[in-house]
Amino acid sequence: MSILKHNNLNSRPVGFFDSGVGGLSVYARFRKALPHEDCLYFGDLANMPYGNKSREDLIGFARRILDFYNQKEVKAVVIACNTSSAQAYDTVKDEYRFKIYPIIQSCAKVIASANYGKIGVFATEATVKSGVYTTELQKYNSSLEVKEISCPNWVPIVENNRYTDKSAIEDVKNQVSKILEFSPDRVILGCTHYPYLMPLLKDFAPEELFIDPAEIFVNYISTDLESNGLLNEVGGTEQFFVSANPESFESHSRIFYQLLSPPVLV
Ligand code: DGL
């Protein structure tokens, strides 16, 4: 007989995952909104970047992390990664007994219901290839025009802290001018690493043009946890795990979030 550590569902932890530090853009907001949740964060650095991986690989990475969280007896897992939400979520969503929140599918309704005619999306190659942003947004607003552009160089810029490199600035400038040709009302930063590029993005287009879905996502998750009686009112701990390079995760995360304890290699 297995002995469960957590008797009450609501006192169980919430797990987060991404390929690296990008998911901290969601995690940091979640911690602020729900400071009494016990949280776990998994950075899959051994397989980073996700954006150039196949669907089969991405499903395998997601299963490995979800199995890990299953052993940790989580009540929910937040896929703080657009690429995994686009390529793996559909396949794995019914394989586990806990809730799984994917970023794209959780935010599409709110974005599609605002009064926009044209939406641009910056995302990884694998996310763009899936077409999930277009499908999900048009599910709620069939007349919305959507243009998705992949930015394969942006995750390495963030993970390696190369914001001041000439080539990085040039790349951001080119991608912004490509999306501006479409005259979008808003541009979704459809990769959790991209909000960290805002200091560069706003040099080439108004900051208000860009949507960081993290806030909408965290609202969605907290409303859903609350309506299912799953909120924790007495916790607040956190723990970080990585599949490789704990030192690199710790040093790069410092710019985005102050970890309370060093990441553990699993
Ligand atoms: N931050 C992830 C996303 O939202 C993955 C980026 C990557 O590793 O390529 O898509």
Side-chain angles (χ1 to χ4, degrees):
M1 195 178 76
S2 73
I3 301 174
L4 291 178
K5 257 194 328 207
H6 302 277
N7 297 322
N8 295 330
L9 257 186
N10 53 347
S11 70
R12 293 182 179 208
V14 179
F16 290 72
F17 78 88
D18 181 43
S19 60
V21 294
L24 292 173
S25 62
V26 173
Y27 181 77
R29 277 180 197 265
F30 183 90
R31 294 286 292 169
K32 253 199 192 145
L34 298 174
H36 299 301
E37 292 296 334
D38 290 326
C39 295
L40 310 173
Y41 184 102
F42 191 106
D44 196 5
L45 270 72
N47 299 308
M48 200 259 310
Y50 275 5
N52 59 9
K53 302 297 187 305
S54 69
R55 181 175 174 78
E56 290 65 37
D57 280 348
L58 290 160
I59 292 169
F61 303 154
R63 280 199 179 117
R64 179 176 171 242
I65 298 165
L66 292 165
D67 289 348
F68 171 78
Y69 278 144
N70 193 29
Q71 303 219 321
K72 295 277 178 199
E73 297 173 15
V74 295
K75 63 184 172 191
V77 170
V78 176
I79 308 185
C81 172
N82 291 262
T83 310
S84 184
S85 301
Q87 294 281 359
Y89 170 70
D90 237 24
T91 305
V92 301
K93 67 181 191 315
D94 300 322
E95 294 178 1
Y96 298 86
R97 297 226 307 268
F98 44 81
K99 283 188 157 275
I100 301 178
Y101 298 109
I103 184 164
I104 302 175
Q105 296 85 341
S106 307
C107 298
K109 189 175 179 184
V110 170
I111 299 172
S113 309
N115 243 346
Y116 305 131
K118 283 181 166 195
I119 292 277
V121 180
F122 282 144
T124 65
E125 287 169 287
T127 299
V128 171
K129 200 163 151 204
S130 75
V132 168
Y133 258 110
T134 304
T135 316
E136 285 294 316
L137 290 167
Q138 291 181 343
K139 192 152 105 186
Y140 303 103
N141 179 353
S142 56
S143 62
L144 195 60
E145 282 182 61
V146 184
K147 184 173 178 65
E148 303 188 40
I149 290 186
S150 64
C151 306
N153 301 321
W154 289 12
V155 168
I157 295 173
V158 174
E159 288 284 340
N160 302 312
N161 201 1
R162 293 200 292 103
Y163 300 99
T164 52
D165 282 14
K166 249 187 163 173
S167 60
I169 297 168
E170 199 55 28
D171 194 284
V172 170
K173 183 181 173 189
N174 289 340
Q175 299 298 68
V176 171
S177 73
K178 255 196 241 168
I179 206 81
L180 290 180
E181 282 169 23
F182 173 64
S183 310
D185 297 307
R186 289 290 182 277
V187 176
I188 299 173
L189 300 177
C191 169
T192 51
H193 284 74
Y194 297 176
Y196 297 121
L197 290 167
M198 189 54 88
L200 298 185
L201 289 163
K202 69 179 171 43
D203 281 345
F204 308 111
E207 194 167 349
E208 311 72 62
L209 181 71
F210 300 103
I211 298 176
D212 171 2
E215 192 178 336
I216 299 168
F217 191 28
V218 167
N219 278 343
Y220 178 91
I221 301 164
S222 57
T223 307
D224 194 73
L225 287 176
E226 186 172 12
S227 60
N228 284 286
L230 284 175
L231 286 181
N232 189 351
E233 268 144 32
V234 293
T237 63
E238 66 176 6
Q239 242 184 313
F240 293 88
F241 303 93
V242 286
S243 54
N245 305 328
E247 300 81 16
S248 145
F249 182 86
E250 196 179 2
S251 64
H252 292 134
S253 64
R254 227 167 266 145
I255 320 171
F256 316 122
Y257 185 79
Q258 201 54 48
L259 309 189
L260 292 181
S261 57
V264 175
L265 182 66
V266 287

